[in-house]
Amino acid sequence: MSQSKGSVFHRLYVGTGAFDIVGKRKRWYVLFGVVLLVCLASIVFRGFNLGIDFEGGTRIQLPAASASGKITTDAVKESYTKAVGKEPVTVQTVGTGDSETIQLRSETLDASQVTSLKAALNNDVKPTGGVGSISDSAVSASWGGEITTRALIALGVFFLAVAIFLALYFEFSMAIAALVAVIHDVVITAGVYSIVGFEVSPATVIGLLTILGFSLYDTVVVFDKVKENTRGLLGLTRRTYGEAANLAVNQTLMRSINTSLIALLPVIGLLAIGVGLLGVGTLKDLALVQLTGMAIGALSSIYIATPVAVDLKMRDPKYKAQANRVKARRENLAKRAAATGTTVEAAGDVVESTDDDALAAELRREKALSAAAGAPSRTTKNADARRRPTGKKHR
Amino acid sequence: MAPPAGQIRPAKYLGAFVLIVVALYSLVFFTGNHKPTPKLGIDLQGGTRVTLTARAPDGKTPSDEALDQARMLIETRVNGLGVAGPEVVRDGTNLVITVPGTDSEGAKRLGQTAKLNFRKVIGSPVPNAEATPESTSPSAPASGSAAPTTSASTPPPASETASAPTTTAQGRPAPAVEAQQPTTTAPADSSAPPATSASAPPTSAQPEPADCDKVLLAGEYSDDATKAIDESRQCRQNPQWAALDPQVVQQALGAFVCPKIDPLLGNDDPALPLLTCDQDRTQKYLLAPVTPPADGSVKDDDYSMYSRLTGEDIANAISGANPQGAGFVVNLDFKSEGGAKWGKFTSANVGQLIAVVLDSQVVSAPSINEAILGGSTQISGNFNQKEADGLANVLKYGSLPLSFEPSEAETVSATLGLASLEAGLIAGGIGLALVFLYCLFYYRLLGVLTILSLVLSGVVVYAVLVLLGRWIGFTLDLAGIAGFIVAIGITADSFVVFFERLKDEVREGRTFRSAVPRAWVRSRRTILSADAVSFLASAILYFIAVGQVKGFAFTLGMSTVLDLVVVFLVTHPLVVLVSKSKSLSNPKLSGLGGAVQAGAEERALAKSAAVKEV
């Protein structure tokens, strides 16, 4: 085993179970538990930086370019004060190049105030494109709350539906483990938002919900391999449930990394564009929350979901007994090896499939199906073609 | 001769895919408007979107019927704006009005129009001191005595003989109500006998809790919406005003300050008097109840104060040029029962003012010149065409079964929309390019297949997008684009799962060719279950969440389903084709070389171990 270890990348690529993830699960529990607590504490004590949609207000956006050069935020502020009679909450420049805009936030204005403000801005700072180029959005303070309420309902329904689906497709312990991982992801992502102080918008809430799908997706792929590796495990003494699960994690490790990278690359693109070009808005909010959540989702399916599934599974006396048998056999082997004076290379790390029977059955069925569906191929067709000119009746 | 196990005929599957693509694109080009462009949301093409949240007066969830009815009413009104492509969609208890294009700001005002009823004006309207400061000192105390006999400024011009009371007067409108713009009444009123005192101490006539001072004098309400509604009902709907004591009425009017944001909007109790202002906050009114109290103390035929008329009694309202001279008039038709009520009410109140009250605010308060029995009425006054149109619209569509408040009103300029669309497309392009690069680097030939599959997936997604926009009005917004970009990852993952399994099989010592069917059977299961979870997530999001979430969930779910189509009909067959070709399945080219080598090394190792073991 020693010389086959190779570089980290090689071990990853080959996926032979060289990383003991499940065995050291206590370590991961402590590590992620601490992170989780920090996040929870921050959510409770610091709270979130809620955006305009949660506090209510009006947002005006206009191009930063005018015929007479760049529009300054001061000019916009002045114009606002003149038109509305109060100070705006914030005025800032966002985005770059042609997409550069000025964003103004204020307390909620009614429709006629917005119209007069737009007219005033158009008169004072003359943005390119005239009054038609000024965008506005007014949000009532309750709107963000409603989105959040609905999101929480969606969250509850989702957890329930997923628990049922996973319990049916895998087994109960795996369903629980997957949910633990997902909840962990949501809390940590929310915690990161609270700690860093990113602004929370409805788009962020959306993003948070979609993390759930992604995180579970990842977990399902790993669990699928665990299920495959542990089929018929109880009848064998080759490895324990934990070891089989660890092997599955290793076998899917490269896939997890690949998937996460492939999923994150577009999101990074989204973030770069959302921040760089537009400065703010839906794209940025979604990208930021996805970036955080996806990274954590991939980690948790490896470090949380599988270990928890193993722990739950090992409460079953049957699996405990099997683990003892494995241990006994190994001790036996070791004793024999000691007696003969040779060192044993554990062969357990070779990747092999334990569900060959199931696979063979499926392949057989496939064969039968394609035989039933497929018309006898080419040869018959050729025969047909040859027969036709003879004019004989074809039956 | 059946092919060997799992050895599919790739051509069949690829053919099926080509058929699907051809079918989709012929639908795109030969149905609908034949244009291959998806329907864009207003945040991408510019326009206005208003989200109206229903407010049921009692705090209950509004009923489906009420919401649907409101939706239809608002839709009619939106269409009345005369802009292209407006849409009113119900989303839970919200109505979302979408009006594309630059000339769409009118949509913001649509939600305002809500609960309409008719209330008799008690006393005379008083100018709102705060809103019209220049008129304060000289004329603020102006107010007529509250005696019901008071007539408005000008005596009604002798009208032509009223139309025959026996008919329902479809033909010509009964010459009737002469409107008085609140602004024009103001100076006239100042000639009325001066009021006793505006500074009278407030007031033994108001048994309300003390915070009424705050509500009435300062226009300040609690922050909590329900509490604010309660406060304003308590303070501004004092039942004692119905007693018509001129001094009390005068005091109430004098003390009242028009609130800037009125929590009572649409939440007034029609069975109680109402202290309110007109829509511009220039005039203050004290209005009689719409319906008599439920206790039966008022006789059914007593119309001296109760109009019993709501917007639902109106059949139609049309504005037009005044046939008798300059300006514009509004012709109003009541439904038969409404006509009867109107007749009785106007008979009992000739010379009085009747206020058209929309969402607790006075839109117009014309005076009744004579009894109007035909069910048809003409309102005339100093209207310009816009005002007349507005009043007609309010009367015609004003009565919604629910009141709404705009939760979100957004106007996006076309330039900003375009910029967002560009940014979204650039982001998607960059995302795809990064994924392409990574796939090529990691999977080489299989990476090329991945790219091909992703591109084909994009082709299908685009066609479906166009078609859904046409069929079910699905609009692509910024969140939707983000959904697609995120879905790139999920789509590509299906390939990754398959290829990784392939690698496993090759590592176990199989040839590329024999590994394909085994890897496919195994990964197919994983792909199906993982996509099922992903789809479940989007479906739940779609049905439960509101607003932009829907667009995101929809595109994500759609991509997931189409991903399956592409994996089954394109990626797998292509891999089979490659595995059959000698030159293409070269391990170096396929990116599986490492796995082959690693597998071989390990088997050698295991063998030696096993040999030693035995």
Side-chain angles (χ1 to χ4, degrees), chain A residues 211-332:
Chain A
I211 292 170
L212 305 178
F214 187 82
S215 161
L216 272 173
Y217 182 102
D218 220 42
T219 310
V220 165
V221 173
V222 178
F223 278 5
D224 213 54
K225 191 75 186 174
V226 173
K227 189 181 166 191
E228 183 186 311
N229 281 2
T230 57
R231 198 173 280 155
L233 185 83
L234 283 178
L236 302 168
T237 51
R238 191 170 179 77
R239 56 170 68 93
T240 64
Y241 189 89
E243 284 161 353
N246 191 51
L247 183 61
V249 169
N250 275 283
Q251 283 167 330
T252 50
L253 205 52
M254 197 61 215
R255 187 218 65 94
S256 292
I257 292 170
N258 274 341
T259 305
S260 307
L261 264 177
I262 287 180
L264 281 175
L265 287 176
V267 174
I268 291 170
L270 202 60
L271 190 62
I273 293 303
V275 178
L277 213 56
L278 290 182
V280 283
T282 313
L283 288 184
K284 188 203 81 177
D285 293 344
L286 272 174
L288 207 57
V289 72
Q290 295 265 337
L291 192 71
T292 325
M294 279 185 174
I296 293 162
L299 284 180
S300 78
S301 49
I302 295 168
Y303 290 104
I304 303 287
T306 317
V308 170
V310 169
D311 268 339
L312 286 173
K313 200 79 194 175
M314 290 311 281
R315 293 159 66 101
D316 186 338
K318 274 188 286 185
Y319 283 90
K320 268 189 199 154
Q322 193 259 355
N324 287 336
R325 280 200 306 265
V326 172
K327 206 173 149 207
R329 175 177 166 266
R330 290 210 181 131
E331 274 165 8
N332 218 356

Side-chain angles (χ1 to χ4, degrees), chain B residues 212-579:
Chain B
C212 269
D213 280 354
K214 221 163 106 188
V215 167
L216 292 176
L217 299 174
E220 284 173 18
Y221 298 85
S222 302
D223 288 336
D224 179 67
T226 339
K227 229 163 113 191
I229 291 172
D230 201 44
E231 273 171 19
S232 36
R233 275 195 184 172
Q234 260 188 47
C235 301
R236 288 167 49 193
Q237 296 212 279
N238 187 339
Q240 293 187 20
W241 294 330
L244 305 179
D245 176 349
Q247 201 170 339
V248 172
V249 168
Q250 180 51 40
Q251 266 175 11
L253 272 171
F256 180 52
V257 169
C258 292
K260 283 217 175 60
I261 297 163
D262 192 346
L264 195 56
L265 279 190
N267 286 312
D268 59 299
D269 184 346
L272 290 174
L274 172 67
L275 189 56
T276 188
C277 303
D278 63 1
Q279 287 182 314
D280 310 326
R281 298 210 307 271
T282 54
Q283 298 280 316
K284 303 187 270 189
Y285 293 84
L286 183 52
L287 305 171
V290 184
T291 52
D295 58 10
S297 59
V298 177
K299 282 188 196 144
D300 278 351
D301 58 352
D302 180 0
Y303 277 83
S304 64
M305 184 148 53
Y306 311 104
S307 71
R308 296 181 172 85
L309 280 163
T310 68
E312 281 160 38
D313 291 311
I314 296 171
N316 200 4
I318 303 166
S319 62
N322 188 348
Q324 266 111 42
F328 289 84
V329 294
V330 176
N331 292 314
L332 179 61
D333 286 316
F334 285 98
K335 293 176 188 162
S336 63
E337 206 186 322
K341 287 190 227 167
W342 181 242
K344 288 181 195 162
F345 178 74
T346 49
S347 310
N349 291 286
V350 174
Q352 303 281 306
L353 300 184
I354 170 93
V356 177
V357 184
L358 184 69
D359 253 359
S360 317
Q361 283 180 324
V362 176
V363 180
S364 177
S367 76
I368 300 162
N369 293 341
E370 62 191 7
I372 306 162
L373 301 173
S376 288
T377 299
Q378 187 173 68
I379 303 173
S380 56
N382 292 334
F383 296 135
N384 59 33
Q385 184 170 6
K386 208 171 150 194
E387 286 162 350
D389 284 349
L391 180 59
N393 271 333
V394 162
L395 290 168
K396 196 156 135 194
Y397 308 123
S399 183
L400 293 176
L402 296 163
S403 67
F404 288 90
E405 67 178 336
S407 289
E408 195 192 18
E410 189 178 21
T411 299
V412 179
S413 73
T415 43
L416 182 69
L418 201 65
S420 305
L421 180 62
E422 261 175 25
L425 292 180
I426 294 174
I430 290 181
L432 265 181
L434 288 175
V435 169
F436 284 0
L437 277 178
Y438 184 78
C439 286
L440 278 181
F441 164 76
Y442 189 79
Y443 286 121
R444 292 175 222 183
L445 182 68
L446 291 182
V448 175
L449 292 188
T450 309
I451 292 169
L452 197 63
S453 309
L454 272 175
V455 168
L456 289 176
S457 166
V459 167
V460 177
V461 164
Y462 189 80
V464 172
L465 199 61
V466 175
L467 291 177
L468 286 180
R470 224 175 266 168
W471 293 337
I472 62 165
F474 174 75
T475 46
L476 180 66
D477 55 12
L478 214 49
I481 288 189
F484 277 127
I485 295 174
V486 171
I488 294 175
I490 290 185
T491 307
D493 182 66
S494 306
F495 312 142
V496 174
V497 170
F498 181 31
F499 296 159
E500 288 294 315
R501 286 297 169 107
L502 205 55
K503 230 168 66 184
D504 286 349
E505 297 290 339
V506 168
R507 201 166 44 218
E508 281 180 29
R510 292 191 177 77
T511 63
F512 187 7
R513 192 171 169 158
S514 68
V516 169
R518 290 173 67 90
W520 172 242
V521 168
R522 285 187 166 155
S523 56
R524 187 175 59 190
R525 198 183 53 205
T526 310
I527 292 171
L528 278 174
S529 51
D531 272 0
V533 168
S534 178
F535 185 76
L536 195 66
S538 354
I540 291 171
L541 268 186
Y542 181 76
F543 285 112
I544 293 181
V546 287
Q548 296 177 318
V549 185
K550 270 191 191 297
F552 186 91
F554 193 94
T555 51
L556 198 62
M558 188 172 97
S559 304
T560 313
V561 172
L562 294 178
D563 163 46
L564 287 181
V565 171
V566 170
V567 169
F568 274 76
L569 295 186
V570 178
T571 316
H572 176 220
L574 280 181
V575 172
V576 170
L577 272 184
V578 168
S579 76

Side-chain angles (χ1 to χ4, degrees), chain A residues 310-384:
Chain A
V310 169
D311 268 339
L312 286 173
K313 200 79 194 175
M314 290 311 281
R315 293 159 66 101
D316 186 338
K318 274 188 286 185
Y319 283 90
K320 268 189 199 154
Q322 193 259 355
N324 287 336
R325 280 200 306 265
V326 172
K327 206 173 149 207
R329 175 177 166 266
R330 290 210 181 131
E331 274 165 8
N332 218 356
L333 270 180
K335 241 183 269 164
R336 242 198 295 161
T340 52
T342 50
T343 53
V344 176
E345 289 287 345
D349 283 335
V350 175
V351 181
E352 94 290 358
S353 317
T354 49
D355 68 338
D356 266 339
D357 289 345
L359 183 66
E362 196 145 354
L363 284 170
R364 266 199 307 280
R365 209 179 64 219
E366 202 113 305
K367 188 176 171 181
L369 271 179
S370 65
S377 60
R378 217 165 285 148
T379 41
T380 326
K381 266 186 201 154
N382 288 344
D384 272 351

Side-chain angles (χ1 to χ4, degrees), chain B residues 143-160:
Chain B
S143 169
S145 74
T149 49
T150 309
S151 72
S153 55
T154 46
S159 50
E160 307 104 320

